[in-house]
Amino acid sequence: MKQKKKLGEMLVESGVISQEELQRALEEQKTKLKRLGDVLLELGYVTNDAILRALAEQISVDSINLKDTYIDADVARLIPKEMAKRHTAIPVFRRDNTLFVAMADPRNISAIDDLRIVTQMNIRPMLAAETDIEQAIELYYTRQISERAIEDLKRDWQSDPVDVVLDESDIENAPAVRLAKSIISQAVAMRASDIHLEPFEKQVTVRYRVDGSLVEAMTIPENLYPAVLTRFKVISGINIAEKRIPQDGRIEMAVGGKDYDFRVSTLPTVFGEKVVVRILDRTSFQFTRETLGFSPHNSALLDKIISGTNGIILVTGPTGSGKSTTLYALLRELNTPELNIVTIEDPVEYMLHGINQVQVNVKAGLTFAAGLRSILRQDPDIVMIGEIRDEETAQIAVRASITGHLVLSTLHTNDAPSSVARLIDMGIEPFLVAEALSGIMAQRLVRRLCPDCKEKYGATAAEARLLSVEEGTPLYRNVGCPKCNGTGYAGRVAIHEVMHINRPLRDAIQEEASTEVLRDIAIQNGMMRLFDSCRETVLEGFTTVSEMVKTVYARD
């Protein structure tokens, strides 16, 4: 019988660690009395994924990284939560009558038998990290908690609509607390960016924005909504007695072992107050140009823009197009010990080490304009303004740029060339705009095809005309699988329009040339339109033609 290789030998053979690193880890293991995998992780020689892959190969099963996998809550709940916790196992997806289960110990025959009896399905175990499974169990059973909380609320509130201001003892009742918490936990589990609680005549709909699209998660009877609404108001510091005007608040909460920042906004509607919660994971900013989707061509143009020591760099696009994320990625590139970087933001979305970040506080008088004046007295080299919203902020930003500061900010415009007209419309003189601007990037987000289920096909005649390619050119379409929740998409990728402000463009801006003329000059100087950037993304197999049509269009 062939003897199975040891973990250390497999890691050395696969090139993950060297023989010297294995020897040191084995010596450490003798003194610490820990498993070899844990010692290798502590020493920083391997990653969790590498350990899982090696262990999976050692015991001849598949491995799975639950942090990168979407789990359908309905599939997860095919086994009771108590059983999932007892066996440290969670169902991930199903195919016909086979249930794929992530387990800390896929060799536990007793656990596999229990799962088979309960689900009446064939069980295919996969190896996953124990801590990841434990976190997934807490996150993916939240819908069950929501349903129980709603039933408890029904018993507490009976069937009469509640139209009174609730006091704190009412708010702290267990069902409302559990339901509000489960709504948030489920959103985090689905990797949602926003939570929408929308009151209508007969019920309240809860929807999550996942990869840019809204997905309905649950409904709440309208007579139970006041308790949930008031709970959200209390934990976010919003006035529970005020129902006539929009309000904003904030929640800081740990979910699944990670700290999150939730920005809460209420809006009075005809059927009650709508709540939108923006979810910010402020501790995990790992984006780079490559992960954001910058093509080599656009990245080369961007290098020219950020190489200067002064000037304004703008990122433009609609709300939710990833403008702030791109600015953070640029700040990480520019951040060195020799530079003093200060930001003023509303809100501060990610914490960046070594950068001084200021939070706007309008009630205290700390606006973008007021904060920017103070920042310029702090001897900054680089200033980041969350958004240029008005003439005063724009004027200060222009003055800062022409007096030796590099200024990064965002603007709401449809494309890069139209940003010039927007600044002039704000009251900035054309000659100042020409002098101050270094570069403008327009940005959009398109859904990225799921790599596990995307399907190749030949372009139709209509698609070939749209993309200016031959009919039958290989393209990809979304199919849908358990890992992407049946949508065919997993995550999003950015497309860009990068406009480097060189001498011909500066002259045209000073002469107050039209947006169309500026666009033509920029294209001659190498700017790739949003349409062309998205076309390239489609042809490379990252997204679909339907996403392209929905997101961008060609200008004549």
Side-chain angles (χ1 to χ4, degrees):
M1 183 177 177
K2 187 179 179 180
Q3 189 174 7
K4 290 184 178 179
K5 293 181 181 178
K6 295 181 179 180
L7 175 65
E9 294 175 6
M10 297 175 70
L11 290 171
V12 171
E13 285 184 9
S14 60
V16 175
I17 61 173
S18 65
Q19 187 64 45
E20 292 75 18
E21 289 171 334
L22 174 60
Q23 286 304 124
R24 183 182 170 191
L26 289 170
E27 291 170 8
E28 289 273 334
Q29 186 186 20
K30 291 176 184 176
T31 58
K32 294 186 176 180
L33 301 177
K34 291 184 177 181
R35 292 180 297 185
L36 179 61
D38 293 334
V39 175
L40 288 167
L41 284 169
E42 286 180 7
L43 292 172
Y45 293 159
V46 296
T47 63
N48 256 319
D49 281 351
I51 290 286
L52 282 177
R53 285 194 298 270
L55 286 172
E57 184 180 343
Q58 188 182 44
I59 60 177
S60 301
V61 299
D62 293 329
S63 65
I64 185 169
N65 185 346
L66 292 184
K67 290 179 178 177
D68 297 330
T69 304
Y70 173 78
I71 302 175
D72 187 332
D74 291 332
V75 172
R77 291 193 293 135
L78 288 172
I79 65 172
K81 183 178 181 180
E82 294 72 23
M83 178 178 284
K85 294 181 75 172
R86 184 168 68 251
H87 295 311
T88 318
I90 184 168
V92 178
F93 56 91
R94 61 184 295 179
R95 285 185 186 151
D96 299 326
N97 197 44
T98 299
L99 188 65
F100 292 75
V101 182
M103 303 181 67
D105 183 8
R107 296 170 296 182
N108 188 337
I109 303 300
S110 174
I112 293 172
D113 287 341
D114 284 352
L115 297 173
R116 185 182 296 113
I117 292 168
V118 168
T119 62
Q120 294 296 298
M121 299 174 70
N122 298 320
I123 303 299
R124 182 166 171 179
M126 297 182 294
L127 179 66
E130 184 175 349
T131 54
D132 290 350
I133 295 173
E134 290 170 350
Q135 288 181 12
I137 289 170
E138 294 303 317
L139 289 176
Y140 285 96
Y141 283 85
T142 51
R143 189 179 298 176
Q144 195 172 36
I145 297 170
S146 302
E147 291 167 359
R148 289 176 182 171
I150 290 172
E151 290 303 315
D152 290 345
L153 272 174
K154 284 179 180 177
R155 286 196 296 271
D156 287 356
W157 295 89
Q158 302 301 319
S159 58
D160 295 328
V162 179
D163 192 24
V164 296
V165 175
L166 306 177
D167 60 33
E168 192 162 340
S169 62
D170 294 321
I171 301 161
E172 293 298 331
N173 74 81
V177 171
R178 294 204 315 271
L179 182 53
K181 186 176 180 180
S182 68
I183 288 171
I184 292 173
S185 297
Q186 191 174 336
V188 171
M190 293 181 68
R191 302 189 195 96
S193 60
D194 300 88
I195 305 170
H196 291 243
L197 283 75
E198 302 166 311
F200 297 106
E201 188 174 5
K202 299 295 184 183
Q203 64 185 26
V204 177
T205 301
V206 179
R207 297 196 289 173
Y208 301 137
R209 188 173 293 281
V210 182
D211 292 337
S213 299
L214 285 169
V215 179
E216 186 171 323
M218 70 181 80
T219 58
I220 304 170
E222 54 87 22
N223 61 310
L224 306 183
Y225 183 51
V228 182
L229 170 64
T230 310
R231 176 61 186 170
F232 270 97
K233 283 186 169 184
V234 167
I235 60 178
S236 60
I238 291 176
N239 183 358
I240 64 173
E242 181 57 74
K243 301 179 180 180
R244 302 163 298 171
I245 59 173
Q247 298 185 82
D248 295 304
R250 174 181 173 184
I251 306 168
E252 290 183 336
M253 182 186 297
V255 181
K258 292 182 69 175
D259 291 328
Y260 289 86
D261 194 5
F262 302 90
R263 300 302 167 118
V264 182
S265 171
T266 66
L267 179 72
T269 71
V270 291
F271 293 115
E273 291 178 272
K274 175 181 177 180
V275 178
V276 174
V277 183
R278 169 62 60 88
I279 303 171
L280 302 172
D281 179 2
R282 299 171 64 177
T283 61
S284 65
F285 188 84
Q286 301 295 330
F287 293 106
T288 63
R289 284 197 220 177
E290 290 72 25
T291 57
L292 290 176
F294 275 92
S295 67
H297 176 83
N298 283 333
S299 194
L301 286 174
L302 184 56
D303 283 334
K304 293 180 181 178
I305 293 171
I306 66 173
S307 62
T309 57
N310 66 288
I312 297 178
I313 300 172
L314 294 176
V315 182
T316 76
T319 301
S321 59
K323 299 186 298 296
S324 296
T325 302
T326 297
L327 284 185
Y328 281 121
L330 293 180
L331 285 179
R332 273 187 50 171
E333 284 187 36
L334 295 167
N335 187 19
T336 63
E338 296 79 25
L339 295 175
N340 176 24
I341 302 177
V342 188
T343 76
I344 180 160
E345 309 168 57
D346 183 22
V348 174
E349 295 187 19
Y350 298 101
M351 300 296 190
L352 298 177
H353 178 71
I355 293 177
N356 305 285
Q357 296 173 268
V358 179
Q359 170 76 48
V360 164
N361 187 338
V362 176
K363 290 181 181 178
L366 181 55
T367 61
F368 276 116
L372 189 51
R373 287 195 201 92
S374 297
I375 286 172
L376 294 177
R377 293 193 289 271
Q378 291 284 314
D379 185 33
D381 297 292
I382 299 173
V383 177
M384 194 268 266
I385 309 167
E387 182 184 345
I388 294 179
R389 296 179 177 174
D390 50 44
E391 180 182 351
E392 188 178 11
T393 306
Q395 293 279 8
I396 300 170
V398 167
R399 292 195 195 101
S401 70
I402 62 180
T403 54
H405 302 90
L406 188 61
V407 180
L408 286 74
S409 191
T410 69
L411 201 63
H412 282 86
T413 59
N414 288 326
D415 56 18
S418 60
S419 302
V420 173
R422 178 80 178 103
L423 289 172
I424 293 172
D425 186 54
M426 281 183 171
I428 311 298
E429 293 291 338
F431 76 92
L432 286 176
V433 174
E435 180 66 26
L437 281 177
S438 292
I440 307 170
M441 283 180 292
Q443 179 169 306
R444 297 288 188 280
L445 295 176
V446 293
R447 289 187 291 176
R448 187 194 297 266
L449 279 164
C450 173
D452 292 295
C453 65
K454 67 179 182 179
E455 181 180 86
K456 184 185 282 190
Y457 72 101
T460 64
E463 290 172 336
R465 283 195 301 272
L466 178 68
L467 298 170
S468 301
V469 296
E470 293 182 2
E471 189 173 345
T473 297
L475 300 176
Y476 289 87
R477 62 165 65 98
N478 58 309
V479 177
C481 69
K483 288 191 176 181
C484 59
N485 196 29
T487 64
Y489 297 99
R492 290 186 287 177
V493 61
I495 56 173
H496 303 93
E497 182 177 84
V498 184
M499 181 169 143
H500 175 224
I501 309 297
N502 56 11
R503 177 51 56 195
L505 276 171
R506 292 188 198 283
D507 293 341
I509 293 170
Q510 288 197 47
E511 294 167 4
E512 300 186 48
S514 67
T515 298
E516 286 70 24
V517 170
L518 295 179
R519 182 178 297 107
D520 291 341
I521 296 172
I523 291 171
Q524 290 170 14
N525 292 331
M527 183 184 81
M528 180 183 290
R529 298 175 304 165
L530 282 169
F531 178 86
D532 296 318
S533 178
C534 194
R535 172 183 174 274
E536 193 174 87
T537 305
V538 170
L539 294 175
E540 289 174 351
F542 292 120
T543 193
T544 59
V545 174
S546 60
E547 275 293 293
M548 173 180 173
V549 171
K550 186 177 75 172
T551 308
V552 296
Y553 62 96
R555 286 179 178 269
D556 294 330

